[in-house]
Amino acid sequence: MATEEPPYTVTLTEGSFEIREYPSLIAAEVIVTGPRNEAVNAGFRLLAGYIFGGNTTRQSIAMTSPVTQTPKENEKIAMTAPVTQSGDELGWTVRFIMPKGYTLNTLPIPNDPKVKLVALEPTRVAVVKFSGLAKEPDIIEHTQQLKQFMLEKKLVAAGSETLARYDPPWTLWFLRRNELMIKCL
C-alpha cells in the first residue's frame, strides 16, 4: 500500500530539478537540536508518537511521506517553516504533513507539548531529487546545485533548504528517495 504524499503541481522539470507549487497543507512539527541525523531521529520519534495515538483522543493518524527537516531560522514572527545547519543552536524543524481531509480543528491535540500543529501557506519551491543515504556531503553538494539552478532560472530563495526523506530506514541505500527543496519567489 502506497504512503500518501502531499499534492503538488510541477511547473518546470529539467533533469533532476523541478519547480513545484504546493497548496495549503497542515503539518505536525517539532523543533529539535543536535546534529542533522540525530535531530531527525529525535523529531521522527516525537511525531510518530503523536500519529500513533499520543494525542487527546488516542487516535491513530496515517503515516505520510516525506519526513522533512529544515534548519531553523531566526525569525521575527511566529515560526511556520524552515530551520538551519548541523550544530546550529537554533535547531531543526522536523515535520510530517498530515493526511488530506484533516484541518487544524479536526486533528486531535498532541499529548506532547513539543508537537505543534501548523497551517502551511501555499508555496512554490525549487527541488532537486537524489538517491542514497543523504549524508552531509551529499546534502551540501545538492544544495549548491539547487542554488545554481535557481540562479539560472532567476528564482530568489525565501528560506533555507529543506531535506525531504521518503523511505523507511530499512530501504536499501541506493533505492532511497530524497529531495532538497528551497522555497522561492
Side-chain angles (χ1 to χ4, degrees):
M1 183 184 245
T3 304
E4 182 180 330
E5 296 180 14
Y8 60 85
T9 302
V10 176
T11 59
L12 175 70
T13 301
E14 283 188 16
S16 59
F17 299 96
E18 290 182 343
I19 305 297
R20 297 180 186 163
E21 293 183 8
Y22 284 88
S24 58
L25 300 166
I26 305 296
E29 69 181 26
V30 293
I31 297 174
V32 289
T33 58
R36 187 187 307 261
N37 282 333
E38 290 176 23
V40 76
N41 290 333
F44 182 92
R45 284 190 297 276
L46 290 166
L47 294 169
Y50 169 67
I51 68 167
F52 295 140
N55 54 64
T56 54
T57 61
R58 297 184 183 165
Q59 176 183 346
S60 288
I61 300 166
M63 180 66 155
T64 61
S65 184
V67 175
T68 66
Q69 181 181 21
T70 310
K72 186 175 180 319
E73 295 177 341
N74 190 8
E75 299 183 48
K76 294 180 177 140
I77 58 172
M79 217 269 321
T80 58
V83 209
T84 89
Q85 272 299 36
S86 181
D88 190 294
E89 68 280 355
L90 296 174
W92 302 89
T93 298
V94 179
R95 185 179 279 165
F96 288 178
I97 300 299
M98 295 293 95
K100 65 182 173 189
Y102 283 103
T103 67
L104 287 176
N105 293 329
T106 61
L107 281 165
I109 298 167
N111 290 342
D112 190 325
K114 294 178 198 145
V115 177
K116 305 293 182 204
L117 301 176
V118 296
L120 305 175
E121 296 294 321
T123 190
R124 180 169 72 147
V125 296
V127 177
V128 61
K129 301 182 270 187
F130 64 102
S131 61
L133 295 175
K135 293 185 177 182
E136 201 63 32
D138 301 319
I139 294 166
I140 292 167
E141 177 185 343
H142 285 94
T143 299
Q144 290 171 344
Q145 292 171 358
L146 183 57
K147 287 179 178 179
Q148 180 61 39
F149 171 77
M150 292 175 68
L151 186 63
E152 291 168 7
K153 299 301 174 196
K154 297 180 177 31
L155 299 169
V156 177
S160 299
E161 79 283 353
T162 294
L163 174 62
R165 301 176 197 222
Y166 285 83
D167 302 297
W170 56 83
T171 303
L172 295 172
W173 70 270
F174 56 89
L175 295 176
R176 291 191 185 186
R177 179 175 156 213
N178 307 297
E179 295 176 342
L180 280 162
M181 306 174 180
I182 298 177
K183 184 177 175 180
C184 55
L185 304 175

